[in-house]
Structure formats: structure tokens, C-alpha cells
Amino acid sequence: MKPLILIAEDEPAQMELLRYNMESADFRTILASDGASALALVDEEKPDLLVLDWMLPEMSGIEVCRRVRARPETRALPVIMLTARGEESDRVRGLETGADDYLVKPFSQAELVARIRALLRRSRPALTDEQLAYGGIVMDIASHRVSRDNVPVQLGPTEFRMLRFLLERPGRVYSREQLLDQVWGRDVYVESRTVDVHIRRLRMALDIEGAPDIIRTVRGAGYALDVSAN
Ligand code: CA
């Protein structure tokens, strides 16, 4: 799964440059040109990292960052702040506000990509690791093997992709629409109840003697992988 980067930047040329370079580096991107839209996209799309311009209209990058950090669901979201020269005295404040890293404009795009990769390695080791594990479930990505409590689990390709996605972010709740986008892709038309069908198959496959149901159904919201589900 390619990491999803949210770019919050109000200057169209800068935005386009960032988008182009992120996508060339094999990231997926979503774009916001002001702070309020950035916060909305953080909720709706659950990006893996936020590239945040300091100077945004109305709500500043600092305020966006503060709000992201203030909420438990988004507290751990990695944030890279982009600042212009002359704002350097404020840099420290930027880090105090909770940005994980910052770059001063003009910066090299290669440097930004390197910083993003470094942060993602810390926040989502699943992106680089060969194995994912949670709640007794172990997934070996390369060999496509899955086990639970050391018992081999047989999964179809869709259930494998779904479990992989959920294992990358245990505890987080995903709506049917988000799972559709992530597991089937945005351009594929699948009815949302298809997600329920595959979740049911995944549940059955993971139903090992003595092990609790690990997939939590959140009424009206979606699904999560959660050891405290039952
Ligand atoms: Ca700006």
C-alpha cells in the first residue's frame, strides 16, 4: 500500500510541485489549500503523513498542527512543517506545537522526500517490514503466509489485502468506503455491502479455536482490528 500524503499549501505552483514530486516518489497525495480543508481531510482520508505549509490563509499551519495534536485519533500523525525564510525565529515554536520536522523554503524536493521516508519508517514500520503482527496474528508479506496463534490461516486475495491494511493500523476504525478505496482501489466500482461480505469471510478465516473475534464492528462507522473487541 503506497503511503498517503496530505499536502496543505495555498500557493498553486508550490502545491503542484509538491504533488508532482510526492507522486514521483511513489506516494499517493491528497491536497488542501487551507487549514480547515486540511483538518477535514485528515478526518476523512486518514493520511499517513501531513506536509503542512506554515502560512495558510485564515487558519495557520501552526493552528492546524495544534488541532491535529489535540485529538487522540490524530495525535500520532507525522507532520512536516514548511516555513519561509524570515519565519525562522518561529521555527522552534513550530516544533513545540508538535510538528515532527520542518523545512525552510526554498528546500530541495529530494530532501523533503528523504524526511518523509524517515518519518514514515518511524510511524509505520509496516511499510518497510516484511512481517506484520497484531493480537496473535502474524502476516508474512513476501510469502503471503498468515497465521493466528501459530495456526495457519487461509485467506483469499481480497481478505489478504484487507487484513494487511487493517494490520498496518490496528485499532483505527475504517468506514466501508475507506476500505473500498484501500482494498479495491478508487477506480473500481464495488457496492459497499461487498465489504461486509469480505469482512465476514475474514472473520471466519481468523476464527481459531479459543481465540476471540478480533474484528470490531462499529455501528454506523465501520470496522477495526482490535484485540479488545470482545
Ligand atoms: Ca503559504
Side-chain angles (χ1 to χ4, degrees):
M1 208 75 63
K2 294 181 185 180
L4 180 64
I5 311 294
L6 169 57
I7 304 169
E9 165 65 79
D10 60 315
E11 290 139 65
Q14 183 71 16
M15 163 87 94
E16 182 52 28
L17 182 67
L18 289 166
R19 188 195 61 77
Y20 176 80
N21 283 289
M22 298 295 101
E23 292 185 359
S24 304
D26 221 23
F27 299 129
R28 292 175 298 136
T29 58
I30 39 173
L31 311 173
S33 54
D34 62 77
S37 335
L39 284 172
L41 284 173
V42 164
D43 283 339
E44 287 160 22
E45 306 283 337
K46 304 195 175 2
D48 297 299
L49 185 141
L50 169 59
V51 174
L52 180 60
D53 185 30
W54 177 284
M55 296 296 278
L56 287 174
E58 290 164 42
M59 192 191 300
S60 73
I62 289 273
E63 180 59 18
V64 172
C65 195
R66 201 189 59 74
R67 294 195 190 188
V68 162
R69 289 292 179 256
R71 300 174 46 220
E73 315 86 80
T74 56
R75 184 164 292 155
L77 176 69
V79 178
I80 297 184
M81 190 82 81
L82 307 179
T83 77
R85 284 198 195 286
E87 296 165 352
E88 292 185 39
S89 58
D90 288 333
R91 276 192 202 171
V92 178
R93 220 177 98 215
L95 292 173
E96 279 173 0
T97 316
D100 298 279
D101 205 349
Y102 64 86
L103 281 170
V104 179
K105 295 179 184 179
F107 50 83
S108 97
Q109 295 290 317
E111 177 66 21
L112 176 59
V113 168
R115 303 272 188 105
I116 289 175
R117 290 201 199 286
L119 276 178
L120 288 175
R121 265 195 299 278
R122 260 194 276 156
S123 66
R124 278 187 63 192
L127 286 170
T128 44
D129 278 9
E130 293 285 287
Q131 263 199 356
L132 296 173
Y134 178 73
I137 297 171
V138 177
M139 172 180 278
D140 190 289
I141 307 288
S143 71
H144 262 244
R145 287 208 183 93
V146 178
S147 64
R148 182 163 192 199
D149 297 345
N150 297 316
V151 178
V153 171
Q154 303 301 328
L155 295 178
T158 304
E159 287 74 39
F160 185 92
R161 285 202 304 276
M162 190 176 263
L163 180 61
R164 178 177 176 173
F165 179 68
L166 293 170
L167 275 172
E168 284 174 347
R169 309 154 183 85
R172 269 166 88 167
V173 179
Y174 290 96
S175 68
R176 288 172 180 79
E177 289 67 30
Q178 286 167 335
L179 288 170
L180 279 176
D181 284 348
Q182 295 293 334
V183 178
W184 281 265
R186 235 161 244 262
D187 305 328
V188 181
Y189 179 75
V190 184
E191 284 188 66
S192 63
R193 66 164 181 263
T194 305
V195 174
D196 302 341
V197 171
H198 288 277
I199 285 279
R200 204 176 310 133
R201 286 188 196 158
L202 181 57
R203 260 208 178 102
M204 283 168 66
L206 293 173
D207 183 18
I208 302 299
E209 180 81 48
D213 187 3
I214 200 168
I215 298 173
R216 181 156 67 102
T217 304
V218 184
R219 203 181 292 269
Y223 299 103
L225 212 57
D226 193 343
V227 280
S228 57
N230 291 284

mmCIF file of all heavy atoms in Angstrom, residues 48-91:
data_model
loop_
_atom_site.group_PDB
_atom_site.id
_atom_site.type_symbol
_atom_site.label_atom_id
_atom_site.label_comp_id
_atom_site.label_asym_id
_atom_site.label_seq_id
_atom_site.Cartn_x
_atom_site.Cartn_y
_atom_site.Cartn_z
ATOM 1 N N ASP A 48 -1.261 9.196 5.932
ATOM 2 C CA ASP A 48 -0.163 8.642 6.727
ATOM 3 C C ASP A 48 0.794 9.720 7.188
ATOM 4 O O ASP A 48 1.582 9.501 8.104
ATOM 5 C CB ASP A 48 0.602 7.609 5.903
ATOM 6 C CG ASP A 48 -0.299 6.435 5.550
ATOM 7 O OD1 ASP A 48 -0.774 5.785 6.484
ATOM 8 O OD2 ASP A 48 -0.546 6.214 4.354
ATOM 9 N N LEU A 49 0.728 10.895 6.524
ATOM 10 C CA LEU A 49 1.635 11.985 6.881
ATOM 11 C C LEU A 49 1.072 13.290 6.330
ATOM 12 O O LEU A 49 0.401 13.298 5.305
ATOM 13 C CB LEU A 49 3.028 11.713 6.308
ATOM 14 C CG LEU A 49 4.154 12.680 6.672
ATOM 15 C CD1 LEU A 49 5.456 11.908 6.919
ATOM 16 C CD2 LEU A 49 4.394 13.729 5.594
ATOM 17 N N LEU A 50 1.351 14.380 7.047
ATOM 18 C CA LEU A 50 0.872 15.702 6.628
ATOM 19 C C LEU A 50 2.057 16.616 6.343
ATOM 20 O O LEU A 50 2.917 16.805 7.206
ATOM 21 C CB LEU A 50 -0.011 16.286 7.747
ATOM 22 C CG LEU A 50 -0.426 17.759 7.680
ATOM 23 C CD1 LEU A 50 -1.214 18.061 6.402
ATOM 24 C CD2 LEU A 50 -1.265 18.123 8.902
ATOM 25 N N VAL A 51 2.106 17.139 5.117
ATOM 26 C CA VAL A 51 3.081 18.180 4.763
ATOM 27 C C VAL A 51 2.325 19.498 4.851
ATOM 28 O O VAL A 51 1.359 19.715 4.124
ATOM 29 C CB VAL A 51 3.654 17.964 3.342
ATOM 30 C CG1 VAL A 51 4.540 19.136 2.939
ATOM 31 C CG2 VAL A 51 4.437 16.658 3.273
ATOM 32 N N LEU A 52 2.740 20.351 5.791
ATOM 33 C CA LEU A 52 1.902 21.480 6.180
ATOM 34 C C LEU A 52 2.639 22.801 6.008
ATOM 35 O O LEU A 52 3.664 23.037 6.656
ATOM 36 C CB LEU A 52 1.513 21.265 7.654
ATOM 37 C CG LEU A 52 0.633 22.272 8.356
ATOM 38 C CD1 LEU A 52 -0.721 22.406 7.662
ATOM 39 C CD2 LEU A 52 0.427 21.846 9.812
ATOM 40 N N ASP A 53 2.107 23.660 5.139
ATOM 41 C CA ASP A 53 2.685 24.989 4.970
ATOM 42 C C ASP A 53 2.358 25.828 6.210
ATOM 43 O O ASP A 53 1.251 25.797 6.732
ATOM 44 C CB ASP A 53 2.092 25.635 3.703
ATOM 45 C CG ASP A 53 2.737 26.980 3.403
ATOM 46 O OD1 ASP A 53 3.917 27.163 3.746
ATOM 47 O OD2 ASP A 53 2.048 27.844 2.831
ATOM 48 N N TRP A 54 3.360 26.562 6.654
ATOM 49 C CA TRP A 54 3.206 27.403 7.857
ATOM 50 C C TRP A 54 2.176 28.516 7.630
ATOM 51 O O TRP A 54 1.302 28.751 8.444
ATOM 52 C CB TRP A 54 4.570 28.011 8.145
ATOM 53 C CG TRP A 54 4.678 28.962 9.279
ATOM 54 C CD1 TRP A 54 4.259 30.250 9.303
ATOM 55 C CD2 TRP A 54 5.258 28.687 10.535
ATOM 56 N NE1 TRP A 54 4.556 30.804 10.506
ATOM 57 C CE2 TRP A 54 5.169 29.874 11.278
ATOM 58 C CE3 TRP A 54 5.861 27.559 11.089
ATOM 59 C CZ2 TRP A 54 5.658 29.954 12.568
ATOM 60 C CZ3 TRP A 54 6.349 27.653 12.372
ATOM 61 C CH2 TRP A 54 6.245 28.834 13.104
ATOM 62 N N MET A 55 2.340 29.203 6.452
ATOM 63 C CA MET A 55 1.478 30.347 6.169
ATOM 64 C C MET A 55 0.314 29.907 5.303
ATOM 65 O O MET A 55 0.440 29.781 4.095
ATOM 66 C CB MET A 55 2.282 31.423 5.427
ATOM 67 C CG MET A 55 3.418 32.014 6.245
ATOM 68 S SD MET A 55 2.844 32.895 7.714
ATOM 69 C CE MET A 55 2.414 34.474 6.975
ATOM 70 N N LEU A 56 -0.802 29.664 5.937
ATOM 71 C CA LEU A 56 -2.024 29.318 5.209
ATOM 72 C C LEU A 56 -3.059 30.395 5.502
ATOM 73 O O LEU A 56 -3.023 31.010 6.564
ATOM 74 C CB LEU A 56 -2.562 27.964 5.686
ATOM 75 C CG LEU A 56 -1.795 26.707 5.267
ATOM 76 C CD1 LEU A 56 -2.378 25.479 5.952
ATOM 77 C CD2 LEU A 56 -1.807 26.536 3.747
ATOM 78 N N PRO A 57 -3.987 30.657 4.579
ATOM 79 C CA PRO A 57 -4.991 31.682 4.833
ATOM 80 C C PRO A 57 -5.926 31.270 5.972
ATOM 81 O O PRO A 57 -6.201 30.084 6.136
ATOM 82 C CB PRO A 57 -5.753 31.775 3.511
ATOM 83 C CG PRO A 57 -5.463 30.522 2.782
ATOM 84 C CD PRO A 57 -4.137 30.024 3.266
ATOM 85 N N GLU A 58 -6.379 32.238 6.722
ATOM 86 C CA GLU A 58 -7.316 32.055 7.839
ATOM 87 C C GLU A 58 -6.740 31.230 8.985
ATOM 88 O O GLU A 58 -6.307 31.773 9.964
ATOM 89 C CB GLU A 58 -8.662 31.498 7.347
ATOM 90 C CG GLU A 58 -9.419 32.556 6.544
ATOM 91 C CD GLU A 58 -10.543 31.959 5.714
ATOM 92 O OE1 GLU A 58 -11.244 31.073 6.239
ATOM 93 O OE2 GLU A 58 -10.711 32.395 4.561
ATOM 94 N N MET A 59 -6.670 29.895 8.816
ATOM 95 C CA MET A 59 -6.099 29.111 9.898
ATOM 96 C C MET A 59 -4.660 28.758 9.551
ATOM 97 O O MET A 59 -4.389 28.126 8.534
ATOM 98 C CB MET A 59 -6.914 27.831 10.096
ATOM 99 C CG MET A 59 -6.574 27.099 11.377
ATOM 100 S SD MET A 59 -7.323 25.438 11.418
ATOM 101 C CE MET A 59 -9.052 25.827 11.310
ATOM 102 N N SER A 60 -3.714 29.180 10.380
ATOM 103 C CA SER A 60 -2.298 28.955 10.071
ATOM 104 C C SER A 60 -1.924 27.487 10.215
ATOM 105 O O SER A 60 -2.634 26.711 10.857
ATOM 106 C CB SER A 60 -1.430 29.775 11.020
ATOM 107 O OG SER A 60 -1.473 29.184 12.311
ATOM 108 N N GLY A 61 -0.786 27.133 9.627
ATOM 109 C CA GLY A 61 -0.271 25.776 9.773
ATOM 110 C C GLY A 61 -0.075 25.396 11.232
ATOM 111 O O GLY A 61 -0.345 24.272 11.636
ATOM 112 N N ILE A 62 0.370 26.352 12.021
ATOM 113 C CA ILE A 62 0.571 26.126 13.461
ATOM 114 C C ILE A 62 -0.724 25.691 14.134
ATOM 115 O O ILE A 62 -0.757 24.739 14.907
ATOM 116 C CB ILE A 62 1.032 27.447 14.137
ATOM 117 C CG1 ILE A 62 2.452 27.788 13.716
ATOM 118 C CG2 ILE A 62 0.928 27.356 15.644
ATOM 119 C CD1 ILE A 62 3.505 27.163 14.561
ATOM 120 N N GLU A 63 -1.799 26.401 13.790
ATOM 121 C CA GLU A 63 -3.095 26.089 14.404
ATOM 122 C C GLU A 63 -3.584 24.714 13.942
ATOM 123 O O GLU A 63 -4.125 23.935 14.734
ATOM 124 C CB GLU A 63 -4.113 27.192 14.043
ATOM 125 C CG GLU A 63 -5.506 27.004 14.607
ATOM 126 C CD GLU A 63 -5.554 26.926 16.133
ATOM 127 O OE1 GLU A 63 -4.584 27.356 16.790
ATOM 128 O OE2 GLU A 63 -6.579 26.417 16.650
ATOM 129 N N VAL A 64 -3.382 24.418 12.654
ATOM 130 C CA VAL A 64 -3.764 23.101 12.136
ATOM 131 C C VAL A 64 -3.030 22.019 12.919
ATOM 132 O O VAL A 64 -3.614 21.044 13.392
ATOM 133 C CB VAL A 64 -3.441 22.976 10.627
ATOM 134 C CG1 VAL A 64 -3.665 21.547 10.141
ATOM 135 C CG2 VAL A 64 -4.279 23.953 9.812
ATOM 136 N N CYS A 65 -1.726 22.219 13.090
ATOM 137 C CA CYS A 65 -0.903 21.240 13.790
ATOM 138 C C CYS A 65 -1.365 21.076 15.242
ATOM 139 O O CYS A 65 -1.480 19.967 15.750
ATOM 140 C CB CYS A 65 0.557 21.674 13.731
ATOM 141 S SG CYS A 65 1.678 20.361 14.177
ATOM 142 N N ARG A 66 -1.657 22.216 15.874
ATOM 143 C CA ARG A 66 -2.110 22.172 17.263
ATOM 144 C C ARG A 66 -3.388 21.332 17.382
ATOM 145 O O ARG A 66 -3.538 20.517 18.276
ATOM 146 C CB ARG A 66 -2.353 23.595 17.765
ATOM 147 C CG ARG A 66 -2.344 23.744 19.281
ATOM 148 C CD ARG A 66 -2.798 25.135 19.712
ATOM 149 N NE ARG A 66 -4.143 25.466 19.252
ATOM 150 C CZ ARG A 66 -5.267 24.961 19.774
ATOM 151 N NH1 ARG A 66 -5.196 24.115 20.766
ATOM 152 N NH2 ARG A 66 -6.447 25.316 19.288
ATOM 153 N N ARG A 67 -4.306 21.547 16.438
ATOM 154 C CA ARG A 67 -5.577 20.810 16.500
ATOM 155 C C ARG A 67 -5.395 19.327 16.212
ATOM 156 O O ARG A 67 -6.079 18.480 16.789
ATOM 157 C CB ARG A 67 -6.579 21.409 15.516
ATOM 158 C CG ARG A 67 -6.976 22.812 15.928
ATOM 159 C CD ARG A 67 -8.206 23.270 15.207
ATOM 160 N NE ARG A 67 -8.429 24.693 15.434
ATOM 161 C CZ ARG A 67 -9.512 25.328 15.043
ATOM 162 N NH1 ARG A 67 -10.454 24.677 14.399
ATOM 163 N NH2 ARG A 67 -9.642 26.613 15.289
ATOM 164 N N VAL A 68 -4.480 19.014 15.278
ATOM 165 C CA VAL A 68 -4.203 17.600 14.969
ATOM 166 C C VAL A 68 -3.676 16.915 16.231
ATOM 167 O O VAL A 68 -4.073 15.806 16.582
ATOM 168 C CB VAL A 68 -3.182 17.496 13.811
ATOM 169 C CG1 VAL A 68 -2.545 16.113 13.751
ATOM 170 C CG2 VAL A 68 -3.853 17.824 12.480
ATOM 171 N N ARG A 69 -2.786 17.605 16.946
ATOM 172 C CA ARG A 69 -2.175 17.031 18.150
ATOM 173 C C ARG A 69 -3.129 16.957 19.329
ATOM 174 O O ARG A 69 -2.951 16.160 20.230
ATOM 175 C CB ARG A 69 -0.956 17.864 18.554
ATOM 176 C CG ARG A 69 0.213 17.715 17.625
ATOM 177 C CD ARG A 69 0.825 16.330 17.704
ATOM 178 N NE ARG A 69 1.942 16.213 16.773
ATOM 179 C CZ ARG A 69 1.889 15.572 15.618
ATOM 180 N NH1 ARG A 69 0.772 14.957 15.253
ATOM 181 N NH2 ARG A 69 2.922 15.508 14.818
ATOM 182 N N ALA A 70 -4.151 17.818 19.298
ATOM 183 C CA ALA A 70 -5.062 17.883 20.442
ATOM 184 C C ALA A 70 -6.032 16.707 20.465
ATOM 185 O O ALA A 70 -6.662 16.444 21.481
ATOM 186 C CB ALA A 70 -5.838 19.202 20.420
ATOM 187 N N ARG A 71 -6.149 16.007 19.337
ATOM 188 C CA ARG A 71 -7.158 14.939 19.280
ATOM 189 C C ARG A 71 -6.503 13.564 19.270
ATOM 190 O O ARG A 71 -5.576 13.321 18.528
ATOM 191 C CB ARG A 71 -8.030 15.133 18.042
ATOM 192 C CG ARG A 71 -8.749 16.480 18.092
ATOM 193 C CD ARG A 71 -9.506 16.753 16.818
ATOM 194 N NE ARG A 71 -10.250 15.572 16.430
ATOM 195 C CZ ARG A 71 -10.377 15.157 15.174
ATOM 196 N NH1 ARG A 71 -9.812 15.807 14.200
ATOM 197 N NH2 ARG A 71 -11.089 14.086 14.908
ATOM 198 N N PRO A 72 -7.015 12.671 20.121
ATOM 199 C CA PRO A 72 -6.404 11.353 20.265
ATOM 200 C C PRO A 72 -6.300 10.583 18.942
ATOM 201 O O PRO A 72 -5.297 9.906 18.699
ATOM 202 C CB PRO A 72 -7.331 10.616 21.232
ATOM 203 C CG PRO A 72 -8.201 11.635 21.848
ATOM 204 C CD PRO A 72 -8.177 12.859 20.996
ATOM 205 N N GLU A 73 -7.313 10.712 18.083
ATOM 206 C CA GLU A 73 -7.325 9.923 16.838
ATOM 207 C C GLU A 73 -6.217 10.363 15.889
ATOM 208 O O GLU A 73 -5.793 9.589 15.030
ATOM 209 C CB GLU A 73 -8.653 10.054 16.074
ATOM 210 C CG GLU A 73 -9.918 9.955 16.906
ATOM 211 C CD GLU A 73 -10.303 11.298 17.500
ATOM 212 O OE1 GLU A 73 -10.885 12.100 16.760
ATOM 213 O OE2 GLU A 73 -10.019 11.548 18.670
ATOM 214 N N THR A 74 -5.781 11.624 15.999
ATOM 215 C CA THR A 74 -4.813 12.116 15.023
ATOM 216 C C THR A 74 -3.488 12.523 15.675
ATOM 217 O O THR A 74 -2.596 13.014 14.998
ATOM 218 C CB THR A 74 -5.393 13.342 14.266
ATOM 219 O OG1 THR A 74 -5.769 14.346 15.213
ATOM 220 C CG2 THR A 74 -6.612 12.941 13.465
ATOM 221 N N ARG A 75 -3.388 12.301 16.977
ATOM 222 C CA ARG A 75 -2.215 12.761 17.734
ATOM 223 C C ARG A 75 -0.904 12.242 17.154
ATOM 224 O O ARG A 75 0.100 12.943 17.142
ATOM 225 C CB ARG A 75 -2.367 12.317 19.199
ATOM 226 C CG ARG A 75 -1.273 12.808 20.108
ATOM 227 C CD ARG A 75 -1.692 12.659 21.549
ATOM 228 N NE ARG A 75 -2.785 13.591 21.852
ATOM 229 C CZ ARG A 75 -3.679 13.411 22.810
ATOM 230 N NH1 ARG A 75 -3.656 12.326 23.546
ATOM 231 N NH2 ARG A 75 -4.610 14.311 23.021
ATOM 232 N N ALA A 76 -0.931 11.015 16.655
ATOM 233 C CA ALA A 76 0.314 10.386 16.194
ATOM 234 C C ALA A 76 0.621 10.660 14.719
ATOM 235 O O ALA A 76 1.616 10.169 14.197
ATOM 236 C CB ALA A 76 0.244 8.878 16.438
ATOM 237 N N LEU A 77 -0.223 11.437 14.069
ATOM 238 C CA LEU A 77 0.010 11.711 12.643
ATOM 239 C C LEU A 77 1.322 12.478 12.453
ATOM 240 O O LEU A 77 1.505 13.550 13.028
ATOM 241 C CB LEU A 77 -1.166 12.546 12.091
ATOM 242 C CG LEU A 77 -1.045 13.000 10.628
ATOM 243 C CD1 LEU A 77 -1.158 11.806 9.688
ATOM 244 C CD2 LEU A 77 -2.120 14.035 10.298
ATOM 245 N N PRO A 78 2.256 11.956 11.653
ATOM 246 C CA PRO A 78 3.510 12.689 11.429
ATOM 247 C C PRO A 78 3.249 13.974 10.632
ATOM 248 O O PRO A 78 2.508 13.945 9.660
ATOM 249 C CB PRO A 78 4.364 11.717 10.615
ATOM 250 C CG PRO A 78 3.712 10.385 10.744
ATOM 251 C CD PRO A 78 2.268 10.647 10.989
ATOM 252 N N VAL A 79 3.854 15.073 11.076
ATOM 253 C CA VAL A 79 3.668 16.371 10.418
ATOM 254 C C VAL A 79 5.025 16.969 10.075
ATOM 255 O O VAL A 79 5.908 17.051 10.929
ATOM 256 C CB VAL A 79 2.906 17.354 11.336
ATOM 257 C CG1 VAL A 79 2.760 18.716 10.662
ATOM 258 C CG2 VAL A 79 1.530 16.803 11.719
ATOM 259 N N ILE A 80 5.192 17.366 8.818
ATOM 260 C CA ILE A 80 6.365 18.133 8.408
ATOM 261 C C ILE A 80 5.900 19.542 8.073
ATOM 262 O O ILE A 80 5.023 19.726 7.238
ATOM 263 C CB ILE A 80 7.062 17.518 7.176
ATOM 264 C CG1 ILE A 80 7.576 16.117 7.517
ATOM 265 C CG2 ILE A 80 8.212 18.419 6.695
ATOM 266 C CD1 ILE A 80 8.355 15.451 6.401
ATOM 267 N N MET A 81 6.459 20.525 8.747
ATOM 268 C CA MET A 81 6.067 21.916 8.537
ATOM 269 C C MET A 81 6.996 22.556 7.514
ATOM 270 O O MET A 81 8.210 22.347 7.547
ATOM 271 C CB MET A 81 6.159 22.654 9.883
ATOM 272 C CG MET A 81 5.564 24.025 9.910
ATOM 273 S SD MET A 81 3.773 24.018 10.148
ATOM 274 C CE MET A 81 3.685 23.808 11.930
ATOM 275 N N LEU A 82 6.413 23.336 6.596
ATOM 276 C CA LEU A 82 7.205 24.092 5.622
ATOM 277 C C LEU A 82 7.148 25.561 6.018
ATOM 278 O O LEU A 82 6.070 26.118 6.179
ATOM 279 C CB LEU A 82 6.614 23.924 4.212
ATOM 280 C CG LEU A 82 6.406 22.487 3.732
ATOM 281 C CD1 LEU A 82 5.784 22.481 2.338
ATOM 282 C CD2 LEU A 82 7.712 21.699 3.737
ATOM 283 N N THR A 83 8.307 26.170 6.195
ATOM 284 C CA THR A 83 8.321 27.574 6.588
ATOM 285 C C THR A 83 9.126 28.386 5.579
ATOM 286 O O THR A 83 9.962 27.836 4.874
ATOM 287 C CB THR A 83 8.954 27.784 7.987
ATOM 288 O OG1 THR A 83 10.378 27.695 7.861
ATOM 289 C CG2 THR A 83 8.481 26.754 8.975
ATOM 290 N N ALA A 84 8.832 29.700 5.519
ATOM 291 C CA ALA A 84 9.601 30.581 4.642
ATOM 292 C C ALA A 84 10.712 31.230 5.456
ATOM 293 O O ALA A 84 10.621 31.316 6.680
ATOM 294 C CB ALA A 84 8.691 31.639 4.043
ATOM 295 N N ARG A 85 11.764 31.684 4.757
ATOM 296 C CA ARG A 85 12.809 32.426 5.451
ATOM 297 C C ARG A 85 12.182 33.655 6.094
ATOM 298 O O ARG A 85 11.246 34.236 5.565
ATOM 299 C CB ARG A 85 13.887 32.863 4.471
ATOM 300 C CG ARG A 85 14.766 31.722 4.101
ATOM 301 C CD ARG A 85 16.081 32.155 3.498
ATOM 302 N NE ARG A 85 16.692 30.989 2.866
ATOM 303 C CZ ARG A 85 17.250 29.998 3.542
ATOM 304 N NH1 ARG A 85 17.310 30.010 4.864
ATOM 305 N NH2 ARG A 85 17.766 28.963 2.917
ATOM 306 N N GLY A 86 12.739 34.050 7.255
ATOM 307 C CA GLY A 86 12.146 35.182 7.944
ATOM 308 C C GLY A 86 11.188 34.706 9.028
ATOM 309 O O GLY A 86 10.888 35.434 9.958
ATOM 310 N N GLU A 87 10.723 33.486 8.883
ATOM 311 C CA GLU A 87 9.861 32.922 9.925
ATOM 312 C C GLU A 87 10.692 32.058 10.863
ATOM 313 O O GLU A 87 10.157 31.375 11.715
ATOM 314 C CB GLU A 87 8.756 32.062 9.305
ATOM 315 C CG GLU A 87 7.793 32.840 8.436
ATOM 316 C CD GLU A 87 6.935 31.929 7.549
ATOM 317 O OE1 GLU A 87 7.176 30.722 7.485
ATOM 318 O OE2 GLU A 87 6.021 32.472 6.914
ATOM 319 N N GLU A 88 12.040 32.131 10.646
ATOM 320 C CA GLU A 88 12.888 31.179 11.347
ATOM 321 C C GLU A 88 12.845 31.318 12.871
ATOM 322 O O GLU A 88 13.011 30.346 13.578
ATOM 323 C CB GLU A 88 14.337 31.283 10.848
ATOM 324 C CG GLU A 88 14.430 30.804 9.429
ATOM 325 C CD GLU A 88 15.854 30.774 8.911
ATOM 326 O OE1 GLU A 88 16.740 30.409 9.699
ATOM 327 O OE2 GLU A 88 16.072 31.123 7.752
ATOM 328 N N SER A 89 12.605 32.566 13.343
ATOM 329 C CA SER A 89 12.545 32.729 14.790
ATOM 330 C C SER A 89 11.362 31.948 15.354
ATOM 331 O O SER A 89 11.334 31.598 16.523
ATOM 332 C CB SER A 89 12.409 34.205 15.143
ATOM 333 O OG SER A 89 11.248 34.724 14.517
ATOM 334 N N ASP A 90 10.402 31.676 14.470
ATOM 335 C CA ASP A 90 9.222 30.958 14.913
ATOM 336 C C ASP A 90 9.374 29.449 14.809
ATOM 337 O O ASP A 90 8.514 28.705 15.209
ATOM 338 C CB ASP A 90 8.008 31.366 14.069
ATOM 339 C CG ASP A 90 7.548 32.767 14.394
ATOM 340 O OD1 ASP A 90 7.794 33.203 15.534
ATOM 341 O OD2 ASP A 90 6.961 33.403 13.520
ATOM 342 N N ARG A 91 10.502 29.029 14.228
ATOM 343 C CA ARG A 91 10.663 27.599 13.974
ATOM 344 C C ARG A 91 10.492 26.735 15.207
ATOM 345 O O ARG A 91 9.810 25.723 15.189
ATOM 346 C CB ARG A 91 12.078 27.343 13.474
ATOM 347 C CG ARG A 91 12.292 27.546 12.035
ATOM 348 C CD ARG A 91 13.619 26.945 11.820
ATOM 349 N NE ARG A 91 14.282 27.436 10.645
ATOM 350 C CZ ARG A 91 15.549 27.139 10.395
ATOM 351 N NH1 ARG A 91 16.230 26.438 11.270
ATOM 352 N NH2 ARG A 91 16.107 27.565 9.317
#
